[in-house]
């Protein structure tokens, strides 16, 4: 496998920046999808539907947005799609570090989801 990837031009070097970015990407991805699924459960959506929604976000929404991205000529809209968390998470999490703006958007998404969970959870009784 390493010979094939070397022939394709992938250097295969594991530098500290790649490992740090990879770890941060995985943390953002897992926590974002967990909180999003938990928000859906808090709003009364059944677990099977939550599983279907999360699967669709990971597998299909990115492909739909990639097709839309190729067909539009509007730079502002294409920039918005490229920085949409459910577009860049499935694509870039395992491959390379995100841009600083994408990290900021990911952290902001986490904060918003966490605030929604806290707000909705305080109305629930255990």
């Amino acid at each position: 496998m390493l010979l094939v990837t070397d022939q394709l031009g992938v250097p295969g070097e594991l530098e500290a920046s790649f490992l740090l970015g990879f770890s941060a990407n995985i943390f953002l991805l897992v926590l974002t999808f967990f909180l999003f699924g938990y928000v859906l459960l808090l709003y009364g959506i059944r677990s099977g539907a939550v599983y279907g929604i999360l699967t669709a976000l990971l597998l299909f929404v990115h492909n739909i947005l990639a097709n839309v991205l190729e067909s539009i000529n509007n730079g502002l809209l294409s920039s918005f799609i490229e920085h949409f968390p459910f577009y860049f998470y499935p694509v870039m999490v395992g491959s390379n570090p995100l841009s600083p703006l994408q990290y900021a958007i990911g952290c902001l998404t986490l904060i918003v989801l966490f605030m929604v969970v806290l707000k909705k959870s305080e109305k629930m009784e255990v």
Side-chain angles (χ1 to χ4, degrees), residues 58-104:
L58 277 171
L59 297 177
F60 304 119
V61 171
H62 161 72
N63 291 330
I64 293 169
L65 290 174
N67 289 335
V68 169
L69 193 60
E70 289 178 9
S71 65
I72 60 173
N73 293 326
N74 187 346
L76 182 63
L77 185 58
S78 66
S79 176
F80 176 76
I81 290 173
E82 288 174 352
H83 292 95
F84 184 63
F86 296 114
Y87 173 76
F88 66 79
Y89 276 157
V91 176
M92 299 180 74
V93 161
S95 60
N96 54 0
L98 304 174
S99 70
L101 181 59
Q102 288 172 329
Y103 280 121

Side-chain angles (χ1 to χ4, degrees), residues 87-124:
Y87 173 76
F88 66 79
Y89 276 157
V91 176
M92 299 180 74
V93 161
S95 60
N96 54 0
L98 304 174
S99 70
L101 181 59
Q102 288 172 329
Y103 280 121
I105 291 170
C107 290
L108 182 65
T109 303
L110 281 180
I111 290 169
V112 168
L113 286 172
F114 190 67
M115 296 302 289
V116 170
V117 165
L118 288 178
K119 197 67 155 166
K120 184 69 176 170
S121 294
E122 59 184 37
K123 296 179 183 175
M124 296 180 66

Side-chain angles (χ1 to χ4, degrees), residues 1-10:
M1 183 63 112
L2 291 174
L3 291 174
V4 171
T5 56
D6 187 42
Q7 293 296 322
L8 293 174
V10 178

